[in-house]
Amino acid sequence: MADRTVADLVVERLRAWRVPRAFGYPGEAIAPLVGALDRAGGDPQFIPARHEETAAFMATGHAKFTGEIGVCLATQGPSAVHLLNGLYDAKLDSKPVVAIVGEDVTGPLGGAHEEIGLSRLFGDVCNQFVRYGRVAEQVPALLDQAFRTAAATRSPTCVVLPRALQEAVVPDLLPQTAGVLTATPGEPLARVLPHDADLDAAASLLAGGQRVAILVGQGGHGTADQIVALANRLGAGVATSLLGKPVLDERLPFHTGVLGEVGTTAAAQLMGGCDTLLLVGTNDPWTDYFPMPGQVRTIQIDIDGRRIGTRYPVDVPLVGDAADTLAALLGRVTDRPNQQWRGVVESSVDRWRQAAADRAAAPAEPVNPQLVLHELSARVPRDGSVAVDVGSVLYWYARHLELPPGVRAQLCGTLGSMGCALPYAVAAKLARPDEPVLALLGDGAMQLNGLAELITVAHHWREWRDPRLVILVLNNRDRSGMGGGRRPTGELGDRRPDVPYAGWARLLGLHGVRVDRPELVGPAWDEVLAADRPSVLEAVVDPAVPLNPPEPALADLRGVFADGDAARRVRERMLEAQVSVEAEDLV
């Protein structure tokens, strides 16, 4: 029987923390741990990515789609540097990830060819916990501390293990440490509820509001029933952040959609007209689309008190779990719906939905990208997951893809890094191999790392009970990466090279469909969603279709209020904005 090494000990700790798989890129300095994972027989499983950045995105995607702690592996030097992007994604979107980095500093002067100061390299992104393993006896506790810290702070942590330590034989007297688990890794470790006085103040503020708006972020997951009940009790309108888009049924008549530059006119109008704002688990960075300062009284619910008031002034802070806090608020708020305000909101939603349908139906050359997401909307599998990349596809996803209740959807919300969708989709599919997964990305993201990670898909898909992983590539050949009417200047060669994305999928043994006619978009979706293997749907779309961001917080609400003062204030704000724009034009 082979000697038990520290690398085997690490695998035991991963298993104790119920880690199903670790994502990484093999290298000399991490080879002993990769070997131990191979000996573990898939418990946990090692998933080699084509690049360390995508390995980190997979670990973060695993954390986002499952609520568990993601794990990624790399070696020192350039390999460790490549992890940073995915780890910053985890940090900024508050997801628990543990990075285990191997280091080999043997050499005549104690240095190594790829040596980089790892403590300083990871000191910001993993600022909650970066530690070196020195002796075998400390490794179990070191890993437990890394996992506990990641779970408690909802952030990435890092453990550096020298190769010599990974290879070291574990002393016979080293105790077999029992599994030390949190109740649900990745979730708050204890129930957190605001003080009664704060809840009473929040209820009083809501009761005094005439035009209530609720903005929901990713922290609202699992609270849809409470949010709808509270909105109906107050006659409130609801909007979401990009990360909060999957929280609520988007078919609700008072659901205005996503707020922000990528969002809807109805959401901007909601913010422009409300006098009371409830923020639920959101750290939305698009503050230009929030109500004007002084316009509203604001309540913010967040599990992390450090987030309260960082984006927008708050009158009543409520530090607590969203579900329990909303339940406590419901017990304090009586039925007093403002039907007039609710009617205004619903009319705004109706107008926006018609405008969105008209935009999707508008002619384009050759295909309108909005049509592609519009046609998908009625076909999204009810038990599926959706991963979304950065670029113009984010605009079309936010406005035109109506998510059925229960569908999980994730994106790189705060960091906004291109190239995340396909690694996310791989992580989601490995976590739930019996459910369909969709990845939505542009040709820029596909060329960045999607073409390579399609090899990972081709390697694993035969293990999946449901083989459907559909990758939509919006091929607009736009060098700017955004589309929206910004056609590149110069010769055709100045544009992004045209790649046969569907053909590349077929070359790898997957299914590929290329569509360049609008009437074929619907049938193309039907084909890839019924395929017996992963598919790439390449839609050749028009880069000149405008993005049309909504007016931030100055949406035209003239004449919608019976309250003459409110209508007058809105008109005054719009007049000020119009004068400002005209002055800029004169300059």
Side-chain angles (χ1 to χ4, degrees):
M1 180 177 178
D3 290 329
R4 180 169 171 243
T5 67
V6 169
D8 295 312
L9 195 62
V10 172
V11 171
E12 292 170 15
R13 300 315 303 149
L14 296 180
R15 191 178 296 136
W17 280 90
R18 303 201 298 271
V19 173
R21 61 194 59 86
F23 306 92
Y25 193 89
E28 281 297 315
I30 202 69
L33 178 52
V34 172
L37 286 166
D38 288 342
R39 293 192 296 275
D43 183 21
Q45 184 182 17
F46 175 61
I47 305 295
R50 312 277 73 78
H51 193 284
E52 295 89 351
E53 178 178 281
T54 53
F57 273 134
M58 288 176 188
T60 300
H62 176 85
K64 289 186 175 187
F65 277 104
T66 67
E68 301 170 357
I69 300 174
V71 175
C72 55
L73 312 178
T75 65
Q76 65 196 46
S79 180
V81 172
H82 290 156
L83 287 180
L84 292 179
N85 209 32
L87 294 179
Y88 270 109
D89 179 22
K91 178 181 180 178
L92 296 184
D93 280 353
S94 300
K95 299 303 175 186
V97 172
V98 175
I100 302 176
V101 180
E103 184 179 62
D104 187 355
V105 293
T106 58
L109 299 177
H113 175 61
E114 297 176 332
E115 186 175 3
I116 289 177
L118 296 177
S119 293
R120 296 186 67 181
L121 181 69
F122 291 101
D124 180 56
V125 68
C126 298
N127 64 309
Q128 298 292 336
F129 187 91
V130 182
R131 297 289 188 277
Y132 273 75
R134 299 300 185 188
V135 294
E137 289 80 2
Q138 73 176 163
V139 168
L142 191 67
L143 287 167
D144 286 347
Q145 191 176 358
F147 274 86
R148 285 197 200 97
T149 303
T153 63
R154 295 167 298 281
S155 68
T157 61
C158 178
V159 175
V160 181
L161 298 176
R163 178 186 171 112
L165 177 60
Q166 297 173 52
E167 295 175 322
V169 175
V170 175
D172 292 338
L173 297 179
L174 188 69
Q176 297 273 357
T177 309
V180 181
L181 307 177
T182 60
T184 309
E187 294 297 323
L189 301 182
R191 184 187 182 204
V192 181
L193 193 64
H195 293 291
D196 286 341
D198 296 326
L199 289 165
D200 291 340
S204 176
L205 193 154
L206 289 171
Q210 295 299 310
R211 300 182 299 278
V212 180
I214 302 175
L215 178 61
V216 182
Q218 64 170 338
H221 280 290
T223 67
D225 291 343
Q226 293 98 317
I227 291 171
V228 171
L230 186 60
N232 284 332
R233 195 165 291 183
L234 297 169
V238 175
T240 71
S241 69
L242 263 173
L243 290 172
K245 181 176 167 72
V247 173
L248 297 171
D249 185 349
E250 295 192 282
R251 297 168 298 183
L252 292 167
F254 53 88
H255 192 320
T256 64
V258 171
L259 180 69
E261 182 179 326
V262 303
T264 73
T265 302
Q269 289 175 339
L270 178 70
M271 294 296 114
C274 67
D275 65 6
T276 306
L277 177 61
L278 172 61
L279 305 172
V280 180
T282 178
N283 193 36
D284 197 327
W286 265 311
T287 54
D288 286 351
Y289 288 84
F290 280 42
M292 298 186 74
Q295 174 187 330
V296 300
R297 301 290 301 280
T298 304
I299 303 161
Q300 184 173 358
I301 300 172
D302 205 291
I303 186 65
D304 189 342
R306 295 171 297 181
R307 294 252 169 85
I308 300 287
T310 59
R311 299 291 188 186
Y312 192 75
V314 173
D315 295 286
V316 181
L318 297 177
V319 179
D321 300 309
D324 288 340
T325 302
L326 287 167
L329 275 179
L330 279 167
R332 289 168 164 83
V333 175
T334 58
D335 275 334
R336 47 167 308 281
N338 184 332
Q339 299 296 349
Q340 184 181 22
W341 171 242
R342 174 59 72 82
V344 169
V345 172
E346 292 185 356
S347 294
S348 178
V349 171
D350 290 341
R351 289 194 301 272
W352 160 251
R353 288 176 177 167
Q354 184 58 56
D358 292 343
R359 291 182 185 183
E365 181 59 40
V367 173
N368 187 335
Q370 298 171 105
L371 175 67
V372 180
L373 275 297
H374 181 81
E375 288 287 346
L376 171 62
S377 195
R379 296 173 168 86
V380 177
R382 298 311 195 221
D383 58 346
S385 298
V386 180
V388 190
D389 221 291
V390 173
S392 59
V393 66
L394 203 56
Y395 289 73
W396 317 139
Y397 159 77
R399 299 170 183 169
H400 296 282
L401 186 62
E402 189 176 84
L403 296 174
V407 169
R408 294 167 293 274
Q410 294 291 345
L411 48 90
C412 186
T414 311
L415 181 64
S417 177
M418 186 180 289
C420 62
L422 194 46
Y424 279 9
V426 170
K429 191 65 182 179
L430 290 169
R432 294 183 176 87
D434 56 343
E435 297 178 2
V437 174
L438 296 165
L440 313 177
L441 56 157
D443 51 348
M446 194 64 178
Q447 289 189 24
L448 186 66
N449 55 37
L451 291 172
E453 288 307 330
L454 210 57
I455 299 171
T456 306
V457 174
H459 179 68
H460 287 282
W461 75 268
R462 290 177 178 82
E463 306 163 5
W464 301 336
R465 288 188 292 277
D466 184 331
R468 292 177 295 169
L469 192 164
V470 178
I471 299 115
L472 168 68
V473 181
L474 293 180
N475 183 6
N476 66 8
R477 306 162 314 284
D478 184 354
R479 190 175 58 179
S480 74
M482 293 298 292
R486 295 191 289 272
R487 285 186 182 275
T489 59
E491 299 298 323
L492 186 62
D494 290 337
R495 304 176 72 183
R496 179 178 290 121
D498 198 2
V499 173
Y501 304 102
W504 173 235
R506 291 191 293 269
L507 188 63
L508 293 173
L510 308 178
H511 190 58
V513 177
R514 187 176 190 268
V515 59
D516 57 5
R517 292 164 53 190
E519 66 271 19
L520 298 180
V521 171
W525 275 120
D526 292 334
E527 180 177 341
V528 295
L529 287 168
D532 63 352
R533 62 195 62 206
S535 304
V536 169
L537 172 55
E538 177 189 350
V540 184
V541 296
D542 191 343
V545 173
L547 300 177
N548 290 329
E551 290 274 348
L554 290 170
D556 190 349
L557 293 173
R558 288 173 290 187
V560 299
F561 301 119
D563 179 353
D565 288 340
R568 175 179 52 77
R569 287 194 295 271
V570 172
R571 285 196 297 271
E572 288 173 353
R573 289 201 306 273
M574 294 195 65
L575 181 59
E576 290 170 2
Q578 182 177 350
V579 170
S580 175
V581 170
E582 291 173 351
E584 290 179 3
D585 289 342
L586 290 174
V587 173

